[in-house]
Amino acid sequence: MSEIISTVLMGVGALFMGLAGIGILRMPDLFMRMSCSTKSSTLGVGFLMLAVCFRFPHLSIISRAAAIVVFVFLTAPIAAHMIGRAAYISGVPLWSKSVIDQLCNRYDRCTLHLESYALSEPTSPASEEEASHQDPAVPG
Amino acid sequence: MSLHELIFYSVVAVLTLSILLAFIRLMKGPSLPDRVVALEAISTMGIGVIAVYTVTTGEGVFLDVAMILALVSFLGTVALAYYIQKPASSEEGD
């Protein structure tokens, strides 16, 4: 019985891994690719480690698998956040059909300081217009 | 046990195919962060391959390898992220 459960979990994990592979190749944008591959492959690792736990229910195997799952679930979002931040700072373009960029003109790319309102010196004519649309009571 | 073998081989095939797709993105990625994302995805899929290999052989020692691979992949990703964002911050001569 545990072998059947293990095999099914392995198949589900491989499905998520395959989705991550397809997404990382087919998505049009770096940030979409990153979102797709990070979430999907993390879930795939979780399912595969669960399959290992069901196949060999010893304490040593289960503790190692749990350690791997906890480590991957902790570090994958941090790594994705760091790559995304670095990519946005270094000016990787968004997809041409993306509708909103909420960090536009709010990130000082020299001092790496994030403002909750638009920066005071406008770098493009769009920032003035965006600043006028802002709620004036937003705290700094 | 024929169904088990069939599912096992298909799982290995799917994992290999996804690593190949990520490797294509690693080769043709237009920017450096694309390649870093592809590299991290490849190492995560490598952890999955190690898990499948552990199920096949029954050796629990390979899980240690998977743990070290996760650790090294995270460290490499963080180092590459700092490397990517460094030129933009030192551009104005800080």
Side-chain angles (χ1 to χ4, degrees), chain B residues 21-29 34-36 38-39 42:
Chain B
L21 294 179
F23 191 75
I24 293 172
R25 176 54 67 191
L26 177 69
M27 291 305 285
K28 76 171 200 182
D34 282 303
R35 297 170 204 265
V36 178
L39 205 61
I42 285 177

Side-chain angles (χ1 to χ4, degrees), chain A residues 62-94:
Chain A
I62 289 178
S63 59
R64 281 175 195 162
I68 293 173
V69 167
V70 167
F71 190 76
V72 169
F73 272 50
L74 276 181
T75 59
I78 299 173
H81 168 77
M82 291 196 71
I83 299 176
R85 185 171 175 269
Y88 191 85
I89 287 171
S90 69
V92 171
L94 269 69

Side-chain angles (χ1 to χ4, degrees), chain A residues 45-106:
Chain A
V45 165
F47 273 111
L48 288 174
M49 286 301 161
L50 208 58
V52 171
C53 289
F54 270 102
R55 187 71 168 77
F56 307 107
H58 308 300
L59 183 61
S60 61
I61 303 271
I62 289 178
S63 59
R64 281 175 195 162
I68 293 173
V69 167
V70 167
F71 190 76
V72 169
F73 272 50
L74 276 181
T75 59
I78 299 173
H81 168 77
M82 291 196 71
I83 299 176
R85 185 171 175 269
Y88 191 85
I89 287 171
S90 69
V92 171
L94 269 69
W95 187 30
S96 56
K97 291 180 190 166
S98 41
V99 292
I100 189 167
D101 179 12
Q102 290 189 324
L103 278 179
C104 183
N105 291 322
R106 295 183 195 197

Side-chain angles (χ1 to χ4, degrees), chain A residues 18-42:
Chain A
L19 279 179
I22 293 172
I24 203 172
L25 185 63
R26 294 289 297 161
M27 281 288 175
D29 187 2
L30 166 71
F31 303 99
M32 290 187 203
R33 268 174 228 145
M34 195 170 55
S35 147
C36 185
S37 77
T38 302
K39 286 176 203 166
S40 183
S41 65
T42 305

Side-chain angles (χ1 to χ4, degrees), chain A residues 103 106-108 111-117 119 140:
Chain A
L103 278 179
R106 295 183 195 197
Y107 220 140
D108 191 354
T111 63
L112 305 183
H113 186 63
L114 179 65
E115 303 276 349
S116 62
Y117 48 86
L119 289 177

Side-chain angles (χ1 to χ4, degrees), chain B residues 9-61:
Chain B
Y9 284 128
S10 60
V11 161
V12 172
V14 167
L15 281 176
T16 311
L17 194 67
S18 61
I19 286 182
L20 264 176
L21 294 179
F23 191 75
I24 293 172
R25 176 54 67 191
L26 177 69
M27 291 305 285
K28 76 171 200 182
S31 65
L32 183 59
D34 282 303
R35 297 170 204 265
V36 178
V37 167
L39 205 61
E40 200 209 351
I42 285 177
S43 64
T44 312
M45 289 159 190
I47 294 171
V49 170
I50 290 173
V52 174
Y53 196 67
T54 306
V55 170
T56 315
T57 59
E59 291 279 339
V61 188

